[in-house]
Amino acid sequence: MTVPVLRQGDVLIASIQSDLSDGEVVALRADLTRIVGEVRARAIVVDVAGLDVIDSFTARSLRSIALSARLRGTHTIIVGIRPDVAIAMVHFDINLAPLRTALDLDEALSLLAGRQGNGHGV
């Protein structure tokens, strides 16, 4: 399954619709890192609402996406973590730090708009 990556201005939006294999997560990281440079994106929003589980590999991969993007001058925000997934992540001590999270796409875009031009990172 390929994760669709949409572009809204200078923001990339990757919407994960269902659970991904480890290989698909790695492919998403490579795709986003490549696309960031091609379109000069200033931010990536990854919607994980379609994930039933965020295991340690997926969490590390999401952090890797954010760190790779940051090296290219791009901020990353994770949105859509479902309540049951959040509870499981806390129970199993899975941490997304230093990733920024937001409740949904609207909140992420608001965070990005609030940060634009003020000299502070997201």
Side-chain angles (χ1 to χ4, degrees), residues 5 19-20 27 30 40 42 46 49 51 58-60 63 67-69 78 83 85 102 107 115 117:
V5 178
D19 288 329
L20 301 175
R40 296 184 167 272
R42 76 175 172 89
V46 180
L51 294 179
T58 302
R60 281 193 315 273
R63 278 195 306 264
L67 294 172
S68 297
I78 306 299
V85 173
E107 183 179 329
R115 301 284 191 221

Side-chain angles (χ1 to χ4, degrees), residues 61-77:
S61 296
L62 290 170
R63 278 195 306 264
S64 178
I65 288 169
L67 294 172
S68 297
R70 187 183 320 170
L71 289 172
R72 305 205 67 198
T74 302
H75 303 289
T76 303
I77 300 177

Side-chain angles (χ1 to χ4, degrees), residues 7 33-41 72:
R7 184 176 173 194
T33 304
R34 176 183 49 79
I35 294 169
V36 159
E38 290 175 359
V39 303
R40 296 184 167 272
R72 305 205 67 198

Side-chain angles (χ1 to χ4, degrees), residues 6-71:
L6 308 172
R7 184 176 173 194
Q8 181 173 333
D10 56 0
V11 177
L12 297 176
I13 302 167
S15 180
I16 300 173
Q17 304 295 317
S18 63
D19 288 329
L20 301 175
S21 70
D22 291 352
E24 290 168 328
V25 172
V26 171
L28 174 61
R29 180 182 64 201
D31 288 346
L32 287 173
T33 304
R34 176 183 49 79
I35 294 169
V36 159
E38 290 175 359
V39 303
R40 296 184 167 272
R42 76 175 172 89
I44 298 171
V45 177
V46 180
D47 184 348
V48 297
L51 294 179
D52 291 329
V53 172
I54 296 179
D55 60 15
S56 60
F57 178 80
T58 302
R60 281 193 315 273
S61 296
L62 290 170
R63 278 195 306 264
S64 178
I65 288 169
L67 294 172
S68 297
R70 187 183 320 170
L71 289 172

